[in-house]
Amino acid sequence: MTCRGRLGGPRDCRGPQKGGTTDLVDNTQLLKELEPVVAQNLDRHFAAAKEWMPHEYVPWSDGRNFALLDGEPWTVEQSTLSAVARTALEVNLLTEDNLPSYHREVDRAFGRESAWGVWVNRWTAEEGRHAFCIRDYLLVTRGVDPEELERARMETMQTGFDSGDKPLLHVCAYVSFQELATRVSHRNTGKVTEDPVAERLLTRVAKDENLHMIFYRNLVQAALELQPNETMRAITDEVVGFEMPGAIIPGFTRKSVQIAKAGIYDLRIHHDDVVMPLLRQWRIFELEGLDAEGEKARQELATALEALDATASRFVEQRAEAEAKRAARAASRA
Ligand SMILES: [Fe+2]
Ligand SMILES: [Fe+2]
């Protein structure tokens, strides 16, 4: 399995592919065994999730017509956002836009029966409002180029998201990391907008992502008790092969570099604020009783984490050096 760039790059690291009757039987059995955990976490989720109204977060009075309705076409001067804030908001929005693909994936993995089906629909309904309100905000504030955004949306959704039919445990591990990564990304994007309205909106969206992360994190916790070796393998594969769901967005590699340089989402954040907190919560390195396969997976994970940590440190050093050089050039010009 090759993976050129964990947070961007081509989609060539989808984890192991499984199929066939045995896996289907295993999957059905595991879905059944985890169902009480899903039901319990649904109750917890419904109690924790506060109702909120996306329309309340949008500054509607800032809006005006575009050219077709005799208004003004968009120009970049109308946006109060910095270039990197525009990029980050576009990437976040296009990622959220691709919900039909994600729904297809979780529906395939979790099914429509029992508490699993209730969760799939509830999660989809909550995710749906994220794109609506971010788009509304960007259109009324003229934050980004609406034509470029629409073309990118069409392209992204036509490409679709495809996990490569990951097995159930891999899906649970992936979405745990992905929900936390999305939470961090929305939160940090909010900060760079330097607009309190955008920050409040993205903080609200990030709260949803946090609850989603807790739901999936608890499922993985339960899976570690039921099938520790297989779950360890799934976690390792998903850490090693992780890529953001937005990796199919046009120009994602270039945009993710911009986002990383601005410290919105980079390898340091990915290691420190996404991967490690979940591994600590699951007590991955304290787990006892793994068989040879489970230990092998854990060892692979430890090696991958070391490499990720080293790459993250190198990236941060290089970014600091580049910033220092830029500052020195600016000072000498002044
Ligand atoms: Fe979302
Ligand atoms: Fe989410």
Side-chain angles (χ1 to χ4, degrees):
M1 187 166 60
T2 55
C3 184
R4 285 180 281 144
R6 286 180 181 84
L7 307 179
R11 310 196 66 254
D12 55 1
C13 35
R14 293 171 174 180
Q17 310 295 297
K18 287 178 83 180
T21 322
T22 316
D23 293 330
L24 281 178
V25 172
D26 287 353
N27 221 36
T28 309
Q29 182 59 24
L30 188 57
L31 281 168
K32 214 187 242 169
E33 287 179 44
L34 282 173
E35 203 264 335
V37 183
V38 174
Q40 199 181 30
N41 274 281
L42 260 181
D43 289 344
R44 185 199 45 75
H45 182 83
F46 282 124
K50 303 263 177 297
E51 185 185 46
W52 63 280
M53 295 294 154
H55 69 276
E56 296 280 6
Y57 290 76
V58 178
W60 297 102
S61 60
D62 289 357
R64 57 192 193 279
N65 291 350
F66 289 97
L68 187 71
L69 296 180
D70 300 327
E72 239 190 309
W74 185 86
T75 59
V76 71
E77 299 76 40
Q78 294 163 358
S79 175
T80 59
L81 300 169
S82 65
V84 72
R86 284 200 297 274
T87 299
L89 273 159
E90 265 180 26
V91 167
N92 289 8
L93 173 52
L94 293 169
T95 301
E96 297 285 354
D97 271 327
N98 223 1
L99 179 59
S101 275
Y102 314 140
H103 175 81
R104 187 175 58 214
E105 294 283 326
V106 294
D107 181 76
R108 177 194 58 77
F110 300 162
R112 297 173 193 179
E113 306 301 320
S114 68
W116 285 102
V118 177
W119 170 253
V120 169
N121 288 343
R122 170 69 186 209
W123 172 85
T124 305
E126 291 185 6
E127 287 293 347
R129 62 191 169 203
H130 298 169
F132 303 155
C133 56
I134 298 172
R135 168 168 287 96
D136 289 342
Y137 165 81
L138 288 173
L139 293 181
V140 301
T141 61
R142 297 191 171 228
V144 299
D145 181 345
E147 291 185 10
E148 188 189 301
L149 182 66
E150 176 60 7
R151 289 190 187 111
R153 187 190 66 80
M154 288 294 289
E155 202 177 321
T156 302
M157 291 189 73
Q158 286 177 97
T159 305
F161 176 84
D162 179 3
S163 78
D165 290 345
K166 281 183 204 281
L168 179 61
L169 289 173
H170 284 73
V171 173
C172 291
Y174 176 73
V175 289
S176 300
F177 293 116
Q178 169 270 315
E179 292 283 2
L180 185 49
T182 313
R183 170 198 162 190
V184 170
S185 180
H186 283 308
R187 196 71 189 82
N188 290 347
T189 298
K191 288 179 196 157
V192 300
T193 61
E194 295 181 1
D195 174 5
V197 175
E199 193 166 359
R200 186 167 47 198
L201 165 66
L202 291 170
T203 301
R204 192 63 200 75
V205 170
K207 281 185 190 168
D208 277 5
E209 311 297 18
N210 193 47
L211 284 181
H212 299 161
M213 179 275 292
I214 293 170
F215 188 93
Y216 293 126
R217 185 187 73 190
N218 291 351
L219 278 189
V220 172
Q221 184 70 64
L224 275 166
E225 283 156 32
L226 288 168
Q227 295 192 5
N229 301 299
E230 292 81 356
T231 309
M232 184 66 75
R233 167 49 60 196
I235 291 169
T236 297
D237 288 343
E238 294 309 318
V239 169
V240 171
F242 186 82
E243 67 176 3
M244 287 295 222
I248 55 166
I249 290 168
F252 181 77
T253 305
R254 178 178 47 81
K255 288 171 181 170
S256 60
V257 168
Q258 248 183 299
I259 288 167
K261 280 185 178 164
I264 296 168
Y265 200 94
D266 57 35
L267 285 174
R268 185 81 273 151
I269 292 171
H270 184 64
H271 176 275
D272 293 359
D273 300 341
V274 174
V275 174
M276 292 312 293
L278 280 167
L279 297 182
R280 269 196 297 272
Q281 178 79 28
W282 293 325
R283 301 174 67 82
I284 286 301
F285 292 103
E286 288 101 73
L287 266 186
E288 287 175 4
L290 291 176
D291 67 12
E293 283 301 308
E295 284 296 357
K296 185 168 168 267
R298 177 154 64 182
Q299 191 47 51
E300 273 177 48
L301 178 61
T303 307
L305 290 173
E306 255 174 56
L308 175 61
D309 192 31
T311 314
S313 296
R314 256 197 321 277
F315 172 78
V316 172
E317 276 165 29
Q318 285 167 356
R319 181 174 60 191
E321 278 168 23
E323 272 164 21
K325 274 186 197 158
R326 238 192 329 272
R329 272 198 306 272
S332 71
R333 271 199 302 273

